[in-house]
Every structure is written in structure tokens, then in C-alpha cells.
Amino acid sequence: MSFPGPADPGHTVPSDKEPRMTTTDTTDAAATSTSTDVIADARARIDALDDRIIGLVQERMAVSAVVQETRISSGGRRVNLSREMEILSHYRDALGKPGTSLAMTLLELCRGRI
């Protein structure tokens, strides 16, 4: 006759080394879930903002094309460097040094490379 106990292969004894869920673990899991939700929501907002920015850039490109065509058809140059300097300054003043790079990229998109 055998009795369940440590010598019985089907018998398990709870160990102090087994992980147990604590209140802290539950709180950490909830915080992680909340953090994940916050990050997902923020990324969705960023994606929506990026879509709007892309739409505005495309609109700016179309308006710039009208300006260039009008300037050329009236005997002017395709590019107005003093106007471009105003744009560069505006972006730099608003966004700092990286604003200048952003403005240069926008100008290139709108008028092409010089």
C-alpha cells in the first residue's frame, strides 16, 4: 500500500521558490497595460497628425506650382531666393536649427532642386 507523499511521483509540494502573484505584481501588470494603452493611443494620434502634415505638404506643393507657373509666364524666374530666405528664417525662428532643415526639405519638395 502506498500513501501520497514526497516519495510518490504524482505528489507535489508547494515550494517557497514558486512565483506567486503579489499586489505589486498585479499593480505592475495594470500599469503596464495602462502604459501600453497610452502609447497605442499616442501613436494613433501621431499617425493622424502625420497624415494631416502630408496632406498639407501636398497642398503647399500645389500652391507653389501655381506661383512658379505664374511667375514664369509673366517673365520672372522660377525661384525667388529672397522669398526662400524668408521661409528659412520663419522655420528657424519657430523650430530652431532643425527648422531650417525642415524648411529646406519643404522648399525642395515644392520647387525641386536648384
Side-chain angles (χ1 to χ4, degrees):
M1 171 174 246
S2 76
F3 296 96
D8 181 7
H11 179 76
T12 58
V13 177
S15 164
D16 290 337
K17 293 183 173 48
E18 291 180 11
R20 294 184 181 158
M21 290 293 283
T22 65
T23 305
T24 303
D25 293 335
T26 305
T27 303
D28 288 346
T32 300
S33 176
T34 301
S35 297
T36 301
D37 292 342
V38 168
I39 290 169
D41 290 345
R43 286 181 175 164
R45 287 183 59 208
I46 287 170
D47 291 345
L49 288 168
D50 285 343
D51 289 342
R52 289 173 47 198
I53 291 167
I54 290 167
L56 290 170
V57 169
Q58 291 170 332
E59 183 179 349
R60 188 187 194 288
M61 291 169 67
V63 172
S64 180
V66 170
V67 170
Q68 289 178 51
E69 289 168 12
T70 304
R71 192 180 306 120
I72 290 169
S73 68
S74 65
R77 302 177 72 199
R78 181 176 67 93
V79 177
N80 181 337
L81 295 179
S82 64
R83 173 64 179 148
E84 289 196 1
M85 293 306 293
E86 290 174 17
I87 294 166
L88 292 170
S89 178
H90 179 70
Y91 274 78
R92 183 184 59 248
D93 292 347
L95 302 172
K97 188 176 179 181
T100 305
S101 297
L102 177 60
M104 288 296 293
T105 300
L106 282 171
L107 290 170
E108 185 176 330
L109 283 168
C110 293
R111 58 133 158 83
R113 290 183 173 256
I114 295 179

